[in-house]
Amino acid sequence: ATDERIVVTDVSPRDGLQSQPVPVSTPAKLELIRLLAAAGVPSIEATSFVSPKAVPQMADAAAVLAGLAQAAPGLRASVLAPNLKGLDRALAAGAREVAVVLSATETMNRRNINMGLADATAVSEETLRAARGHGLATRAYVAVAVECPFEGAVAPGVVVELAERMLAAGADEIVLADTIGAASPGQVRALLRAAAPSIPVAQTGVHLHDTRGFGVANAWVALEAGIRRFDASAGGIGGCPFAPGAAGNLATEDLVLLAQQSGLATGISLDGLAAAVAFAEQQLDRPLGGRSLGWWRRR
Ligand code: HMG
Ligand code: MG
């Protein structure tokens, strides 16, 4: 027992499912969300309002949002909305919290949202301002915050400057994202040190992918730097379809176990998470799970 807690946003319904080759039905997405809520997950990223041509799996975004009140009443749910069109769709569907996604390099923005860095920055700013104008809570991802699959290493100063602009445009939370899971703990520490003077730690979250097996180590470094907001994905599913080499997200179960054994509360039950992962395994027809899950199931 401890008063120290971390806030986990489970992004499996969005980041986890967006690039799955198997189509997942809207009722199955809602069942996954119901199981996550039942496990005690306090916050999820439910879906994304992006072009259905770019990401077919998220074409049912409005239907997912419409089903949320019944599937998981009271659950904090954000949605990805990278531009005003996405925001309008999200508002029409009843969203209360939206996230924009700005990448720190020219090429990653072009591949992901079909505009260069300058336009992506301006569009993210206008989307945040409009969202705030409508009274929504806001998150701003700064993606490829350590390494870009196209342009290589990204300087912390570049990321911090973009994060400052997102904060000034009304982001409640800055989410520093290691899109392709390339960051080492030393690099995460350097980025968080660079961000600390201008981006309040209470408003900073980290979004880690686990390609090289550094996800938990990177989360620990973030914890030690005072970060208390973490994105993670049940079963470790995830990855941006436009970022080659992106493997799954840091598994929620690995993060929760790390926190639990380190005396930090998450409010999340590992048995509940295991049930959500088992359901996702059925849907995707393959074994899933972070490093810790096999041990948890056998213990
Ligand atoms: P575009 O083609 O440049 O957009 O796409 P456009 O403004 O030229 O419009 C073209 C068509 O798209 C138009 O329709 C628009 O209405 C429509 P048409 O007239 O041809 O029928 N359109 C939209 N439709 C639905 N929702 C929208 C929307 N906007 C325009 N919001 C766009 C630009 C951003 C839409 C496109 O490139 C896109 O959808 N990209 C997908 C981005 C994405 O979902 N990426 C994966 C998520 S990001 C991620 O995974 C990273 C993250 O996890 C953090 C990390 O790990 O780093 C968040
Ligand atoms: Mg991601």
Side-chain angles (χ1 to χ4, degrees), residues 144-190:
V144 297
V146 173
E147 186 177 318
C148 170
F150 306 105
E151 298 189 25
V154 176
V158 171
V159 175
V160 173
E161 199 180 307
L162 295 172
E164 286 168 357
R165 289 194 50 178
M166 296 302 101
L167 206 58
D172 297 312
E173 179 176 354
I174 299 295
V175 189
L176 300 172
D178 178 19
T179 310
I180 58 169
S184 70
Q187 289 170 305
V188 170
R189 184 171 54 191

Side-chain angles (χ1 to χ4, degrees), residues 67-245:
L68 265 186
Q70 213 199 330
L75 179 65
R76 177 182 158 201
S78 61
V79 300
L80 192 71
N83 58 11
L84 288 177
K85 167 103 194 226
L87 175 63
D88 284 346
R89 290 177 60 213
L91 281 167
R96 309 293 315 276
E97 178 167 12
V98 296
V100 298
V101 55
L102 173 63
S103 298
T105 65
E106 182 72 18
T107 315
M108 191 64 238
N109 281 302
R110 289 200 184 280
R111 297 295 181 102
N112 194 38
I113 56 172
N114 196 30
M115 54 190 110
L117 178 58
D119 286 342
T121 306
V123 165
S124 297
E125 286 173 330
E126 79 180 352
T127 306
L128 286 171
R129 282 197 201 97
R132 283 287 290 263
H134 283 97
L136 301 190
T138 53
R139 307 192 337 135
Y141 286 103
V142 183
V144 297
V146 173
E147 186 177 318
C148 170
F150 306 105
E151 298 189 25
V154 176
V158 171
V159 175
V160 173
E161 199 180 307
L162 295 172
E164 286 168 357
R165 289 194 50 178
M166 296 302 101
L167 206 58
D172 297 312
E173 179 176 354
I174 299 295
V175 189
L176 300 172
D178 178 19
T179 310
I180 58 169
S184 70
Q187 289 170 305
V188 170
R189 184 171 54 191
L191 174 60
L192 293 173
R193 278 188 185 158
S198 57
I199 313 294
V201 78
Q203 283 174 270
T204 307
V206 293
H207 174 108
L208 301 165
H209 284 257
D210 204 13
T211 314
R212 302 185 191 179
F214 293 166
V216 157
N218 287 338
W220 182 252
V221 161
L223 275 169
E224 291 209 315
I227 301 294
R228 293 294 179 266
R229 297 167 182 252
F230 291 84
D231 286 5
S233 173
I237 50 173
C240 175
F242 311 105

Side-chain angles (χ1 to χ4, degrees), residues 14-15 207 209 249:
R14 196 279 304 169
D15 204 338
H207 174 108
H209 284 257
N249 290 66

